[in-house]
Amino acid sequence: MDRQNESFVTTFILTGIPHALELGAPLFWIFLVIYALTLVGNLLILLVIKVDSHLHTPMYYFLANLSFIDMWFSTVTVPKILMGLLSPDGGAISFNNCVAQLYFFHGLGSTECFLYTVMSYDRYLAITYPLRYATMMSGKTCALLAGGTWLSGAIHSAAQTALTFRLPYCGPNQIEHYVCDAPPILRLACADTSVNEMVIFVNIGVVASGCSFLIFLSYVSIVHAILKIHTSEGRRKAFQTCASHCIVVLCFFVPALIIYLRPGSKHVMDRIVAIFETMITPMLNPLVYSLRNKEVKMAFLRLRYQRNFV
């Protein structure tokens, strides 16, 4: 094809979430409530960790990072979903904005993936080496680990974005998704995408599978250490500390593995599963960590008491 006669795409159309026309308004309000709960819940977690000195520990330092990621992870996708449900033209997104959305979507997602791995390592040290934990997980170590997750996520996302948008796009321009994600975008490229698809599949597969394996190893060691605890109260407290992390890890990794470890998948269910990862999990995280965590609940009560006293 003569490249001078190619008409390159300047705007993509996100087809959004498959739904009956009459369900547009109910879905809009449901997703808006979920988004509001996500922002409020994670902001409250950040606030209580910031103001309560009892929560100035490595575990809650990483939880604050998780809450910050979850707020922006939802913000990258949910407002565009709401626009698509509100008006027929809401699915339009410029080429440059699509590039930015893909970068931040994968950047925040992969950072969260790495952060879950670091959080499991933190729980491993806390339970396996309780007497040395404070020195092994110092403030500097926490900052380096958290910074490493953000840097790794940024590099991983930059590679994904560069691989996706180095190809020409000359039409059609309808992305069969509600977000600019690599697999549905590659199907619109005016070039062979087999190499890109394989590299992206391997890249995401290595990150997701590698993090899942490291988390699994951490929890095998954690369970082994918990079983050595002599008191039932000590075992209960240790299991309770790790249970919240296990729940959110499963909610995050299972949908990601379903979507990305099936090369060439075009099933509509991918979009439904992705909703769980991008909307439900960020909303559930603050609920899981507040409802199942006694220290967080006590911190909320102290914060409420201080406000009433003032």
Side-chain angles (χ1 to χ4, degrees), residues 60-190:
Y60 295 105
Y61 174 78
F62 295 128
L63 178 57
N65 275 265
L66 178 63
S67 293
F68 184 79
I69 291 171
D70 279 338
M71 285 194 306
W72 289 107
F73 194 46
S74 289
T75 301
V76 167
T77 57
V78 179
K80 194 61 184 172
I81 295 174
L82 296 176
M83 291 172 62
L85 292 170
L86 200 61
S87 66
D89 298 329
I93 184 169
S94 70
F95 186 92
N96 290 335
N97 285 342
C98 190
V99 173
Q101 188 183 52
L102 175 64
Y103 176 78
F104 287 110
F105 180 69
H106 275 279
L108 292 168
S110 54
T111 299
E112 187 162 346
C113 179
F114 295 129
L115 184 61
Y116 282 131
T117 309
V118 169
M119 291 173 76
S120 68
Y121 175 67
D122 171 67
R123 292 300 83 207
Y124 161 73
L125 291 182
I127 293 173
T128 309
Y129 304 102
L131 299 179
R132 297 166 52 196
Y133 173 68
T135 55
M136 296 175 73
M137 193 60 74
S138 63
K140 182 179 179 180
T141 302
C142 289
L144 287 173
L145 288 172
T149 64
W150 284 94
L151 179 61
S152 300
I155 293 173
H156 176 264
S157 182
Q160 295 286 83
T161 306
L163 279 171
T164 302
F165 288 103
R166 72 180 183 85
L167 299 172
Y169 294 89
C170 49
N173 68 337
Q174 284 197 338
I175 299 174
E176 297 293 330
H177 210 302
Y178 61 80
V179 64
C180 288
D181 198 6
I185 292 175
L186 286 176
R187 291 196 286 271
L188 306 179
C190 303

Side-chain angles (χ1 to χ4, degrees), residues 300-310:
F300 275 121
L301 290 174
R302 284 192 293 268
L303 179 62
R304 182 178 177 181
Y305 174 79
Q306 290 172 1
R307 290 188 63 183
N308 290 338
F309 183 76
V310 172

Side-chain angles (χ1 to χ4, degrees), residues 274-287:
I275 290 174
F276 196 88
E277 180 186 19
T278 58
M279 294 180 64
I280 306 302
T281 301
M283 180 190 68
L284 289 179
N285 281 353
L287 293 176

Side-chain angles (χ1 to χ4, degrees), residues 255-266:
L257 292 173
I258 291 174
I259 294 168
Y260 292 109
L261 295 191
R262 293 185 298 141
S265 174
K266 302 180 182 180

Side-chain angles (χ1 to χ4, degrees), residues 213-246:
F213 181 67
L214 290 175
I215 292 172
F216 174 76
L217 285 182
S218 295
Y219 274 94
V220 168
S221 301
I222 287 170
V223 170
H224 182 68
I226 289 176
L227 293 177
K228 291 183 177 180
I229 298 176
H230 298 294
T231 63
S232 58
E233 176 64 20
R235 287 194 297 269
R236 186 196 63 80
K237 186 176 180 180
F239 271 119
Q240 189 176 37
T241 301
C242 299
S244 299
H245 184 250
C246 287

